[in-house]
Amino acid sequence: MVVATDNYPSSNARRIPPTNISPNTILELEKGDPVVFEKYWKKRSEECSVVIRGWELMSYLGDAKNDVCWYMLPEVERGIRRLHHVVGNAVTHDAHIVVGTGATQLFQAAVFALSPPHSSKPINVLAAAPYYSEYQDEISILRSGLYQWGGDAASYEKNEPYIEVITSPNNPDGTIRGPVVKSEAKGKLVYDLAYYWPQYTPITHQADHDLMLFTFSKCTGHAGSRFGWAVVKDIEVARKMTRYVQMSSIGVSKESQTRVAKIIGVVCDGYQNFGSMESELYFEYSKRLLRERWGKLWAVIDESKLFSVARYPMAFCNFTNESSEPSPGFIWLKCEEGIEDCESYLLGKLKIRARGGKRFGVDSKYARISLIGTDGDFNEFLKRISNA
Ligand code: PMP
């Protein structure tokens, strides 16, 4: 379907640059590896470098004075609060910061902290379909006596306590979400805001929930640092999360924390007019890059009879001071024309590895494709679907 409401960049949108990828090569677009942002950090290579000497950062401790998250370096906490203040995407005053080895560890820490410790039955953990494909496995892998996977939050009918995970913008489909469970029972909420950053979606408000998760992986693209943070209102919940991280990894790598503090500092300095102003500011750059990709994608999808993607509504972004459509990190592709299994079709016919709808709790007509990979992979993807 063609909808003429496009404010994505359209000049040159129809031109797909050539790639040196052979048509027989399988395009690996199944994972959301954020290497698209590498070019930006290459340009700022010097100012973002950190040197760690052999004798430094040897202690387990990060800040003996912090009675909530003792392994966190003080400069990391300051950096996280400063970043949310600069971007305006979350309220952090009156809340505690707990850091973890990625949002992956913190999600499990959150569920542990919110589960009733003495209940006779595990609490149900729910998310509305299509939900982030890893939640189910992360909840189920250890067959915990505290919590269990309860499936699609929208069809939860039990009158039993639950934990609902709200992913907004959502992975895989980029939609803005709120809680959906309709139950008389008491529910606790975890907000996974991994993609609530200006490059993916307009920042419409400062999120102010009891428990919010963020990740360095999707904010700046440094997934390899394995670093995430939680903003938590209740001190006892924050302490229980810390306890979980302590049991699982006795804290978070100080090397990673040092790099996080450095890079967040460079991002914030740019906005607060400190340091070098030679390079484009990070969120402007990353938003422009993703919007250019979406512009190219719409040019192909609008012509396609085999594939469709749902349109996103415009919204005003308080951070960039302009209205725009979101530019999510994934393409949530629907196969049309009688193709029942989108993942198999993409792999079999086009040699594109995607993640099928079933993993996200929905129909196999859908598949998720990463939009945050290399330029070469993205252009080759466009070429293959436009020729399909
Ligand atoms: N939540 C969502 C919604 C994600 O998409 C991801 C990464 N794909 C994570 C959590 C995990 O992030 P991390 O790399 O910090 O473990």
Side-chain angles (χ1 to χ4, degrees):
M1 186 176 58
V2 181
V3 184
T5 59
D6 210 338
N7 86 336
Y8 294 92
S10 57
S11 60
N12 282 331
R14 273 168 218 286
R15 204 186 69 80
I16 303 172
T19 73
N20 52 14
I21 299 172
S22 145
N24 293 322
T25 303
I26 292 181
L27 280 184
E28 300 290 347
L29 298 175
E30 193 254 350
K31 295 194 171 60
D33 203 11
V35 294
V36 65
F37 305 122
E38 208 175 84
K39 273 182 288 180
Y40 182 82
W41 298 112
K42 257 192 190 148
K43 285 202 274 185
R44 310 200 66 172
S45 179
E46 277 308 303
E47 37 181 332
C48 293
S49 296
V50 283
V51 177
I52 299 167
R53 291 171 189 82
W55 57 270
E56 287 177 319
L57 307 176
M58 291 181 65
S59 171
Y60 282 119
L61 277 176
D63 180 3
K65 289 195 286 299
N66 188 326
D67 62 352
V68 175
C69 189
W70 55 267
Y71 52 79
M72 175 168 60
L73 295 174
E75 59 268 36
V76 166
E77 173 163 18
R78 281 195 301 273
I80 289 168
R81 292 184 191 276
R82 183 178 175 209
L83 181 64
H84 286 302
H85 174 75
V86 165
V87 174
N89 61 342
V91 176
T92 64
H93 61 81
D94 293 337
H96 307 280
I97 308 291
V98 178
V99 298
T101 300
T104 299
Q105 188 183 42
L106 289 169
F107 170 66
Q108 293 167 71
V111 168
F112 166 77
L114 296 178
S115 296
H118 306 298
S119 167
S120 56
K121 261 181 101 181
I123 191 167
N124 289 304
V125 181
L126 318 164
Y131 42 73
Y132 174 42
S133 49
E134 305 307 287
Y135 294 146
Q136 179 169 1
D137 290 352
E138 286 168 19
I139 292 302
S140 310
I141 188 164
L142 292 181
R143 300 187 198 165
S144 167
L146 291 177
Y147 48 79
Q148 65 188 8
W149 179 245
D152 185 2
S155 50
Y156 187 69
E157 282 172 350
K158 292 184 189 158
N159 210 353
E160 293 169 9
Y162 63 89
I163 297 172
E164 181 179 358
V165 194
I166 297 132
T167 315
S168 185
N170 190 36
N171 175 357
D173 65 1
T175 54
I176 300 300
R177 290 181 149 193
V180 299
V181 173
K182 290 186 189 68
S183 167
E184 307 273 286
K186 235 174 118 204
K188 292 179 179 164
L189 307 179
V190 174
Y191 280 81
D192 183 340
L193 304 184
Y195 300 93
Y196 193 42
W197 296 104
Q199 68 268 46
Y200 303 110
T201 192
I203 303 301
T204 54
H205 66 288
Q206 281 190 291
D208 190 14
H209 308 290
D210 286 349
L211 202 167
M212 305 185 276
L213 303 178
F214 293 92
T215 165
F216 200 44
S217 306
K218 302 298 154 94
C219 171
T220 61
H222 293 85
S225 292
R226 309 303 310 118
F227 184 87
W229 65 93
V231 180
V232 187
K233 292 235 168 105
D234 183 327
I235 191 165
E236 291 313 322
V237 173
R239 285 195 174 127
K240 275 186 94 175
M241 289 181 70
T242 299
R243 171 100 183 120
Y244 180 92
V245 175
Q246 181 172 340
M247 291 300 100
S248 141
S249 55
I250 324 187
V252 176
S253 156
K254 303 290 183 302
E255 284 85 348
S256 280
Q257 293 195 48
T258 306
R259 188 178 195 206
V260 166
K262 179 72 172 187
I263 290 183
I264 288 181
V266 169
V267 170
C268 292
D269 282 354
Y271 287 99
Q272 295 182 323
N273 298 323
F274 302 120
S276 149
M277 290 299 294
E278 275 161 35
S279 309
E280 194 176 359
L281 296 169
Y282 171 68
F283 290 113
E284 273 66 9
Y285 177 95
S286 49
K287 180 171 177 173
R288 184 170 57 73
L289 213 80
L290 295 193
R291 284 167 52 74
E292 275 167 19
R293 286 196 176 181
W294 275 96
K296 289 188 171 169
L297 178 78
W298 288 126
V300 170
I301 291 293
D302 287 345
E303 300 286 312
S304 176
K305 289 197 176 63
L306 292 185
F307 305 111
S308 68
V309 178
R311 287 272 169 175
Y312 297 100
M314 297 255 285
F316 186 79
C317 177
N318 297 330
F319 177 71
T320 56
N321 266 321
E322 58 178 17
S323 283
S324 69
E325 282 143 318
S327 34
F330 295 101
I331 304 159
W332 185 232
L333 200 69
K334 185 174 182 212
C335 279
E336 308 284 351
E337 305 242 315
I339 302 169
E340 295 304 325
D341 187 334
C342 194
E343 177 186 339
S344 303
Y345 181 88
L346 290 169
L347 187 61
K349 293 269 192 233
L350 305 179
K351 293 196 168 11
I352 297 168
R353 201 182 317 272
R355 193 174 292 180
K358 287 238 158 77
R359 291 277 308 277
F360 303 91
V362 296
D363 217 87
S364 54
K365 272 182 171 299
Y366 289 90
R368 189 197 78 173
I369 288 147
S370 168
L371 184 114
I372 51 181
T374 64
D375 282 342
D377 282 356
F378 179 69
N379 290 325
E380 184 64 23
F381 165 75
L382 290 180
K383 193 170 97 190
R384 291 187 193 180
I385 61 163
S386 60
N387 293 337

